[in-house]
Amino acid sequence: MTNLHRHAPLRVALVGLGTVGGGVIRLLNTNGDLIARRAGCPIQIVAISARDRNKDRGVDLSPYEWVDDMTTLATRDDVDVVVELIGGADGPALTLARQCLTLGKPFVTANKAMLAHHGLDLARLAETGGTALKYEAAVAGGIPVIKGMREGAAANEISRVYGILNGTCNYILTTMEKEGRGFDEVLKEAQDLGYAEADPSFDIDGVDAAHKLTILASLAFGTELDFDAVATTGIRHVIAADIAEAAALGFRIRLVGMAQNGADGLFQRVHPMLVPLDHPLAHVDGSLNAVVAEGNFVGRLFFQGRGAGDGPTASAVVADLIDVARDEYGDAFAMPVAALTPQNTADAGARIGRSYLRFKVQDRPGVLAEIAAATRDAGVSIESMIQRGANQADGVLVAIVTHAGEERCVRETLERLAGSDSLLDTPIVMHILD
Amino acid sequence: MTNLHRHAPLRVALVGLGTVGGGVIRLLNTNGDLIARRAGCPIQIVAISARDRNKDRGVDLSPYEWVDDMTTLATRDDVDVVVELIGGADGPALTLARQCLTLGKPFVTANKAMLAHHGLDLARLAETGGTALKYEAAVAGGIPVIKGMREGAAANEISRVYGILNGTCNYILTTMEKEGRGFDEVLKEAQDLGYAEADPSFDIDGVDAAHKLTILASLAFGTELDFDAVATTGIRHVIAADIAEAAALGFRIRLVGMAQNGADGLFQRVHPMLVPLDHPLAHVDGSLNAVVAEGNFVGRLFFQGRGAGDGPTASAVVADLIDVARDEYGDAFAMPVAALTPQNTADAGARIGRSYLRFKVQDRPGVLAEIAAATRDAGVSIESMIQRGANQADGVLVAIVTHAGEERCVRETLERLAGSDSLLDTPIVMHILD
């Protein structure tokens, strides 16, 4: 089919040779002919770079030129595009990105942390440099959700975009759910299986999901990226009993990143939510990712797929390379940087919704009355309250589902109870997806 | 924000002013500012055309120039892109498409019938004319699945692409399922509600889904479009008892269009299938559409959303216009026409899978033995067989689920039973999605 190629090969420098880097090499080797037909030209890795040259990566690196100093790649005329897979918000990845974009070299990255913190600056450099900044792999792995938001849903005013953006958390939560086991035990197993990092905090504290949400929110609402505006809570405090109570009430617990646009501004939050069983997110199991976008003409769009791993992530990286080869790319965040509006952060307290509150309390008379009084005084209306004492070695669990109301009232409930010696633990609040 | 526009307005001629045409006008009026920011320029309708000028369409058409002879649009310098929403595989739509593309005028259409039959020719004209042929709205309405296949999954060898491609059929099947009602009754209701056409055959006989599948298959496999190679069966013969038996066995019935690539060629089929409850397609209810693509690196991608209606379809049409405004478009079927390979149609008989067979038979001794003997002689291995006599006014139902085996054996079973006076009706075969 080579006679059909309308362009010379696209020459790629690949920086970072971890799992995903190896996946990109394998993908281009395996699907090279098909990719050349689709891209209009072969896509060839010509140079590679990583921290440690001598590490065994399980792929044959001998066809590629090894480059010690990756910063030289930005200026090389025999490199058409640089792929960055080293990660980290700052440091070498950021330096390389700035160099490439400033010099007009197309830049493809999977680096959500860097984009969440510096995406606006990088998009500005790409614009000035007249080149591509592509990052499909940064959010939801193999699911083409960047393209779905930037292009597919582009005709819509989006009211909210949300989803399951971290496969590690979803694996842990759904395993807890299916097997009735505790968080620590399942996390340990996930680490042993390689599904969770030795230091899992980026995942389980919601930081990774918040990075991704920051990017999605900008695309959905035409706003400047603002990672600091994301209210982030992870899943460390979810216990097996929460999952059981939620199930009894017709919900499943998922770590949801949600950005919502309203009259009072933009609201971004990552936190465990109770998802009703009739919502598609309730059926996203294991390490899958999923994204929902709600537009004023398209209605609800739902994308699901594998959000991590070498294959899916490499699929997204190479999709970006095909776009570059086809010359089908434009503004990184769907519009010129100057057209992105600054975010006005909405007040969380004014948000209306139902909430789940769970208390671990002393098993003694009057505690339930104390909690009930606090909710009453804070103006929280209770839809259901369950107290379970049996089988609880350490106290009694009280789980409350509220009627829809302002979140400030829920917060006030907790403030009223703060310091009470009836409480054995910090109460947990999870909101309910409507 | 107009100072941020980098281009002059994109001037659109809109041909066809039915539901979707009205939706496009409303969408551009409602979201115009946001679209201008995303597209890099305002998108403005300048001319409109339809069969009947005097029909009341519920939208104000006075701002637009009315054009009686739509064929003049292809040559007008003050029209940058033509949107065709008149439908029909041949006739005026095809004439207009050929004129526009030949003259290098970008052409956006929602016309799946025309693409399924003439897509290859039109793509060739677009290529020669160096212009855009865009058709996101032709498949699965508002879901950006053309983009998902053409670009998002472009790095993958796709093994199969399949989905629920007709909202009318899905509405009928899921309503039958939820309410235990019969096909004719639910179809009548759907017609009264406007969910089904007065002449519903294009939908319920699977033709519409086959048009869409033809397009998806080309994108997925890099093959020439071949509508005639789609084996198509509709849902007329599905009865309430089939849905009940399927449910008892852990399945739901959906009209599935599937294209699968194998060693012996490409297989394309639209027919009602039994979908296991743990598959996401089993949870696609009402008039929703959904598409699954399985790639060798990305794994399983799942897209769901509204597949019809003015809002979602207009959303897809305007997404195409934004792509045109951004100059982000290329080969209509993801690669040059010359790179698309002719299809080699796989033999359906050699396909391996489980099947559901249902017979309406005489209530008399020996009939079950007759069916069992036919399956045995045809080499079909039975996983389960249910006979239900009660409440069946007209005979007895026998439902069989086979073990995985070659489809030719199932066909042979029916051939062996053909003409038997034990059968009260033509048996129905539905395959089981694995």
Side-chain angles (χ1 to χ4, degrees):
Chain A
M1 287 287 162
T2 44
N3 57 327
L4 295 165
H5 299 148
R6 287 174 294 190
H7 310 290
L10 184 78
R11 298 162 300 179
V12 178
L14 181 60
V15 180
L17 294 167
T19 315
V20 179
V24 170
I25 293 173
R26 268 195 305 283
L27 172 46
L28 289 172
N29 287 340
T30 308
N31 294 353
D33 290 346
L34 182 65
I35 288 168
R37 287 165 67 202
R38 292 201 176 121
C41 65
I43 296 181
Q44 295 174 349
I45 296 171
V46 293
I48 55 175
S49 182
R51 209 161 36 191
D52 178 1
R53 180 166 189 170
N54 298 312
K55 191 171 159 190
D56 179 14
R57 296 174 166 94
V59 283
D60 178 14
L61 301 178
S62 63
Y64 318 114
E65 178 194 352
W66 180 274
V67 175
D68 278 317
D69 179 5
M70 65 177 79
T71 63
T72 62
L73 295 170
T75 55
R76 278 178 58 161
D77 290 339
D78 59 349
V79 168
D80 298 312
V81 52
V82 172
V83 174
E84 180 272 308
L85 301 170
I86 45 182
D90 302 282
L94 185 61
T95 305
L96 182 64
R98 286 183 171 146
Q99 287 174 318
C100 289
L101 297 171
T102 303
L103 294 166
K105 180 87 70 195
F107 189 79
V108 172
T109 179
N111 192 331
K112 55 221 94 173
M114 180 175 74
L115 289 166
H117 288 283
H118 306 289
L120 213 58
D121 287 341
L122 296 178
R124 204 175 278 117
L125 292 178
E127 216 170 296
T128 312
T131 193
L133 168 61
K134 300 277 294 175
Y135 53 88
E136 184 64 72
V139 180
I143 314 172
V145 66
I146 298 300
K147 193 171 278 292
M149 297 303 301
R150 185 187 176 278
E151 303 161 32
N156 290 268
E157 186 99 46
I158 304 289
S159 54
R160 54 181 191 173
V161 60
Y162 57 102
I164 293 170
L165 302 172
N166 184 276
T168 303
C169 287
N170 210 56
Y171 172 83
I172 291 172
L173 289 173
T174 57
T175 303
M176 288 172 70
E177 175 185 301
K178 283 186 175 43
E179 303 177 5
R181 291 158 68 201
F183 174 81
D184 293 329
E185 189 186 337
V186 174
L187 170 62
K188 173 76 173 55
E189 186 184 271
Q191 288 172 313
D192 292 345
L193 291 168
Y195 298 163
E197 306 283 338
D199 175 1
S201 54
F202 247 51
D203 289 321
I204 65 174
D205 292 333
V207 181
D208 174 75
H211 287 148
K212 296 164 178 169
L213 184 67
T214 303
I215 296 168
L216 287 179
S218 173
L219 288 170
F221 305 115
T223 48
E224 296 179 354
L225 293 86
D226 188 358
F227 173 74
D228 295 330
V230 186
T232 303
T233 309
I235 63 168
R236 284 185 200 266
H237 304 292
V238 178
I239 60 176
D242 291 321
I243 291 175
E245 296 301 345
L249 295 161
F251 298 99
R252 288 179 178 154
I253 297 177
R254 297 288 184 268
L255 183 72
V256 175
M258 178 181 289
Q260 184 159 12
N261 213 4
D264 59 337
L266 187 61
F267 185 73
Q268 300 180 81
R269 174 156 65 192
V270 171
H271 83 152
M273 291 191 88
L274 271 65
V275 179
L277 281 178
D278 64 359
H279 192 287
L281 286 188
H283 303 281
V284 178
D285 287 340
S287 61
L288 288 176
N289 277 200
V291 173
V292 180
E294 294 171 357
N296 64 341
F297 276 76
V298 75
R300 182 190 282 173
L301 286 175
F302 178 72
F303 304 84
Q304 180 182 292
R306 292 174 61 200
D310 56 340
T313 312
S315 168
V317 168
V318 177
D320 279 348
L321 290 173
I322 293 172
D323 275 356
V324 170
R326 287 170 168 169
D327 258 331
E328 296 179 15
Y329 60 84
D331 298 315
F333 294 100
M335 58 183 75
V337 172
L340 296 169
T341 53
Q343 281 194 28
N344 177 29
T345 302
D347 171 21
R351 291 176 54 79
I352 308 285
R354 293 194 296 159
S355 301
Y356 165 94
L357 291 77
R358 184 259 298 156
F359 304 87
K360 257 191 206 172
V361 297
Q362 303 271 11
D363 188 6
R364 67 180 187 208
V367 175
L368 209 56
E370 186 183 347
I371 293 174
T375 59
R376 178 199 62 208
D377 295 344
V380 168
S381 171
I382 294 178
E383 182 182 301
S384 67
M385 183 185 244
I386 301 174
Q387 174 180 333
R388 291 196 205 267
N391 307 325
Q392 294 298 333
D394 46 358
V396 170
L397 282 192
V398 176
I400 292 174
V401 170
T402 72
H403 282 295
E406 290 201 343
E407 289 189 8
R408 71 174 86 258
C409 300
V410 171
R411 198 192 304 152
E412 191 189 323
T413 302
L414 300 191
E415 281 160 8
R416 284 177 180 274
L417 289 166
S420 161
D421 65 1
S422 303
L423 302 189
L424 295 174
D425 202 353
T426 311
I428 191 169
V429 176
M430 294 188 272
H431 300 288
I432 297 179
L433 184 66
D434 59 14
Chain B
M1 287 289 161
T2 43
N3 57 328
L4 295 165
H5 300 147
R6 286 173 296 191
H7 312 290
L10 185 78
R11 296 162 301 178
V12 179
L14 180 61
V15 179
L17 294 167
T19 316
V20 179
V24 170
I25 293 174
R26 267 194 307 281
L27 173 46
L28 289 173
N29 286 340
T30 309
N31 294 352
D33 290 345
L34 182 64
I35 288 168
R37 286 164 67 202
R38 290 200 176 122
C41 65
I43 296 181
Q44 295 174 350
I45 296 172
V46 294
I48 55 176
S49 183
R51 210 162 33 192
D52 177 2
R53 182 168 187 170
N54 299 312
K55 191 170 158 191
D56 178 14
R57 296 175 166 93
V59 283
D60 177 14
L61 300 178
S62 62
Y64 318 113
E65 178 195 352
W66 180 274
V67 175
D68 278 317
D69 179 5
M70 67 177 77
T71 62
T72 62
L73 295 170
T75 54
R76 277 178 59 161
D77 289 340
D78 59 349
V79 167
D80 299 312
V81 52
V82 171
V83 174
E84 180 271 307
L85 300 171
I86 47 183
D90 302 283
L94 184 61
T95 305
L96 182 64
R98 285 183 171 147
Q99 287 173 318
C100 288
L101 297 171
T102 303
L103 294 166
K105 179 86 72 194
F107 189 78
V108 172
T109 179
N111 192 331
K112 53 221 95 174
M114 179 175 74
L115 289 166
H117 288 284
H118 305 290
L120 213 57
D121 288 341
L122 295 178
R124 204 175 278 118
L125 292 178
E127 216 171 295
T128 313
T131 193
L133 168 60
K134 301 277 294 175
Y135 53 88
E136 183 64 72
V139 180
I143 314 172
V145 67
I146 297 300
K147 193 171 278 292
M149 297 304 301
R150 184 187 176 280
E151 304 160 32
N156 291 267
E157 185 99 46
I158 304 290
S159 54
R160 55 182 190 171
V161 60
Y162 57 103
I164 293 170
L165 301 173
N166 184 277
T168 303
C169 287
N170 209 57
Y171 172 83
I172 292 173
L173 289 173
T174 56
T175 303
M176 289 172 69
E177 175 185 302
K178 282 185 176 44
E179 303 177 4
R181 291 157 69 199
F183 174 80
D184 292 329
E185 190 186 336
V186 174
L187 170 61
K188 174 75 172 54
E189 185 184 272
Q191 288 172 313
D192 292 345
L193 291 168
Y195 297 165
E197 305 283 338
D199 175 2
S201 54
F202 247 51
D203 289 320
I204 66 174
D205 292 332
V207 181
D208 175 74
H211 287 149
K212 295 164 178 168
L213 183 67
T214 302
I215 296 168
L216 286 180
S218 172
L219 288 170
F221 305 116
T223 47
E224 296 178 355
L225 292 88
D226 189 357
F227 173 74
D228 295 332
V230 186
T232 304
T233 308
I235 63 167
R236 285 184 201 266
H237 304 293
V238 178
I239 60 176
D242 291 320
I243 291 175
E245 295 301 345
L249 295 161
F251 298 99
R252 287 181 178 152
I253 297 178
R254 297 286 184 269
L255 184 72
V256 174
M258 178 181 288
Q260 184 159 10
N261 214 4
D264 59 338
L266 187 60
F267 185 74
Q268 299 180 85
R269 175 156 65 192
V270 171
H271 82 152
M273 292 192 87
L274 271 63
V275 179
L277 281 178
D278 64 358
H279 192 287
L281 285 189
H283 303 280
V284 178
D285 287 339
S287 62
L288 288 176
N289 277 200
V291 172
V292 180
E294 293 171 357
N296 64 341
F297 276 75
V298 75
R300 182 191 281 174
L301 286 175
F302 179 71
F303 304 84
Q304 180 182 294
R306 291 174 61 199
D310 56 340
T313 313
S315 168
V317 168
V318 177
D320 279 349
L321 290 173
I322 293 172
D323 275 357
V324 170
R326 287 171 169 168
D327 259 330
E328 296 179 16
Y329 60 83
D331 298 316
F333 293 101
M335 58 183 74
V337 172
L340 296 169
T341 53
Q343 282 194 27
N344 177 29
T345 303
D347 173 20
R351 291 176 55 79
I352 307 285
R354 293 194 297 158
S355 302
Y356 165 93
L357 291 77
R358 183 259 300 156
F359 305 87
K360 257 190 206 172
V361 298
Q362 302 273 9
D363 187 6
R364 67 180 187 206
V367 175
L368 209 57
E370 186 184 346
I371 294 174
T375 59
R376 177 199 61 209
D377 295 344
V380 168
S381 170
I382 295 178
E383 182 182 302
S384 67
M385 183 185 244
I386 301 174
Q387 174 180 334
R388 291 197 205 267
N391 308 325
Q392 292 299 334
D394 46 358
V396 171
L397 282 192
V398 176
I400 291 175
V401 170
T402 72
H403 282 296
E406 289 200 346
E407 288 189 9
R408 71 175 84 257
C409 301
V410 171
R411 198 191 305 153
E412 191 189 323
T413 301
L414 300 190
E415 282 160 7
R416 284 177 179 274
L417 289 166
S420 159
D421 65 2
S422 303
L423 301 189
L424 295 174
D425 203 353
T426 311
I428 192 169
V429 177
M430 294 187 272
H431 300 288
I432 297 179
L433 183 66
D434 60 13

